[in-house]
Amino acid sequence: MTTAPALSWRRYSLTAFWRRRLSPWRTRRLLEAHLLVVFVCAAVAATTLFLSYRQTQRGAETLASREAPAVQGLAAARLAAMRADQEARALVRMHLVDVAGSGETYRSQLSAADQGLSRIADRTDQDLGTVNGLLATYGNSLSLGTSLYRDEPLMREQKLDEAHSLLTRDKVGLAPRLDELERAQLRHAEATATMGRWQRGGWWLAELALAALALTLLSALFVLRDRCGRDWNPYLLAAFALTVLLAVVPLMTTSATEDDLDVALRHLQQITAVSRHSGPGLAGAQQSVAQESDEVRQELADGTWTVRVYRGTFVGGLLVVVLPALGLGLRLDGDYWGRR
């Protein structure tokens, strides 16, 4: 004999509630409605998920290949130019200009600045023509001040002052221009790495569509068992499991990628701050920038697993559209459509 609590539980259970909600519908129309809703939700979820994840991956790739190297290159070029001036003045001050090989340090710094700007020329949309011209003029003034006018102290001092002015003159000097370019490049990097409003909205839409898809798949499985007396449909079960994976794995991967990008951005901000150093200790500042740059490369280097997740998301998005349509379509064709 069934007890009263058992009867009450069955009457007010989720299964009984859903059965009463679906009772006005004929089975065929109910399955066709489920097929339509499943297809729409799956299509919306697959499309928005693919586009949102692709945008995240593209942002990480752009930051690693273009924006971060440009920030690092501009910082290194600025410090190298500043140190070249410091080393050249030290040679004159210590009367080492006439010593063979004494100017190698400042020349190597000028060469490093020039090579750094050349390497990032194709990694930035900013115009480096003026900066390259200033660097060439600055290097020429340093060379004249340390080599040509060895017996003319006044001319030597004038050329070194001219070089220093080209380097540090407010707003139009080489160092201020490099500083402005670096800050602009850092803003580009931050915009690239930060998830925008539309991208965030795409993730919300994808997750909501996947949740609606999962609930509709459960409802379709319930209808098939409750009204058609069928066993669990393997196509719908596979689609449900795939829906759960698509709702979890790409989102977790994106969250981990965003964390890596945030860490890389903090290192880039530190690089920008250190590169503004202009007093003694430029060698230490260069070493600090090199170490921070290595940290950025390590944070952005391991992107192979995100590529695998991206490919899996693409394949999973296709399957999550095909499997439910196939499962419900075959059932409708066998029970209803094929009897026409």
Side-chain angles (χ1 to χ4, degrees):
M1 182 176 180
T2 306
T3 62
L7 288 173
S8 177
W9 180 84
R10 290 180 181 178
R11 181 178 300 175
Y12 296 106
S13 66
L14 182 60
T15 300
F17 168 77
W18 196 238
R19 186 180 291 115
R20 288 195 300 270
R21 295 287 295 177
L22 299 180
S23 59
W25 292 68
R26 293 173 53 192
T27 303
R28 176 180 175 178
R29 298 303 178 194
L30 196 58
L31 290 176
E32 289 175 342
H34 277 78
L35 177 60
L36 177 61
V37 174
V38 162
F39 180 79
V40 171
C41 289
V44 171
T47 302
T48 54
L49 187 64
F50 173 76
L51 293 177
S52 299
Y53 190 80
R54 176 55 181 160
Q55 187 65 28
T56 299
Q57 187 194 29
R58 184 176 299 171
E61 291 174 349
T62 302
L63 185 66
S65 61
R66 286 176 56 87
E67 305 296 345
V71 173
Q72 296 162 6
L74 288 168
R78 186 183 187 280
L79 287 174
M82 296 292 293
R83 190 177 173 193
D85 179 71
Q86 189 181 81
E87 294 292 337
R89 287 182 172 276
L91 285 177
V92 174
R93 186 174 61 253
M94 293 185 291
H95 305 288
L96 296 175
V97 174
D98 297 329
V99 178
S102 59
E104 291 302 319
T105 302
Y106 92 84
R107 292 191 185 93
S108 66
Q109 293 298 320
L110 285 175
S111 177
D114 182 63
Q115 292 175 8
L117 291 177
S118 299
R119 282 195 297 268
I120 66 171
D122 58 344
R123 295 182 177 181
T124 179
D125 297 329
Q126 301 185 81
D127 184 13
L128 300 180
T130 302
V131 171
N132 284 323
L134 272 174
L135 180 61
T137 305
Y138 166 68
N140 183 59
S141 295
L142 278 184
S143 297
L144 291 175
T146 56
S147 60
L148 184 62
Y149 300 107
R150 294 181 177 179
D151 299 325
E152 301 179 51
L154 291 178
M155 289 297 297
R156 169 179 290 172
E157 190 66 27
Q158 180 183 353
K159 284 299 178 181
L160 290 177
D161 289 342
E162 178 184 299
H164 188 74
S165 177
L166 287 170
L167 178 65
T168 61
R169 188 181 303 166
D170 188 32
K171 294 184 179 180
V172 297
L174 178 59
R177 286 181 183 272
L178 285 171
D179 184 44
E180 182 60 32
L181 288 173
E182 187 181 356
R183 283 185 289 172
Q185 199 67 47
L186 180 62
R187 289 193 294 269
H188 292 168
E190 290 171 347
T192 300
T194 303
M195 187 180 295
R197 180 173 58 184
W198 289 107
Q199 187 182 0
R200 196 177 301 276
W203 276 108
W204 275 104
L205 180 59
E207 292 298 319
L208 289 174
L210 287 169
L213 176 60
L215 293 175
T216 307
L217 288 172
L218 290 176
S219 178
L221 288 167
F222 171 77
V223 170
L224 288 176
R225 284 184 62 85
D226 188 60
R227 294 200 179 185
C228 303
R230 306 289 183 181
D231 292 332
W232 297 112
N233 189 300
Y235 296 102
L236 298 187
L237 286 175
F240 179 77
L242 193 56
T243 299
V244 174
L245 288 176
L246 287 175
V248 174
V249 176
L251 186 61
M252 292 180 61
T253 305
T254 297
S255 178
T257 302
E258 288 295 325
D259 290 341
D260 291 341
L261 295 182
D262 288 341
V263 173
L265 279 179
R266 287 196 293 271
H267 285 299
L268 290 177
Q269 291 165 355
Q270 183 66 22
I271 286 172
T272 302
V274 171
S275 69
R276 294 173 185 169
H277 184 80
S278 58
L282 286 172
Q286 287 179 309
Q287 185 177 1
S288 177
V289 166
Q291 292 174 350
E292 294 288 342
S293 298
D294 288 339
E295 293 291 336
V296 172
R297 282 189 286 270
Q298 290 175 10
E299 291 293 337
L300 301 176
D302 190 14
T304 55
W305 65 290
T306 59
V307 174
R308 290 195 294 267
V309 173
Y310 167 70
R311 293 172 180 170
T313 301
F314 177 74
V315 175
L318 293 178
L319 290 176
V320 86
V321 175
V322 173
L323 288 175
L326 188 61
L328 287 173
L330 289 175
R331 182 53 52 206
L332 282 165
D333 185 66
D335 292 348
Y336 299 102
W337 296 341
R339 296 181 180 181
R340 293 177 180 177

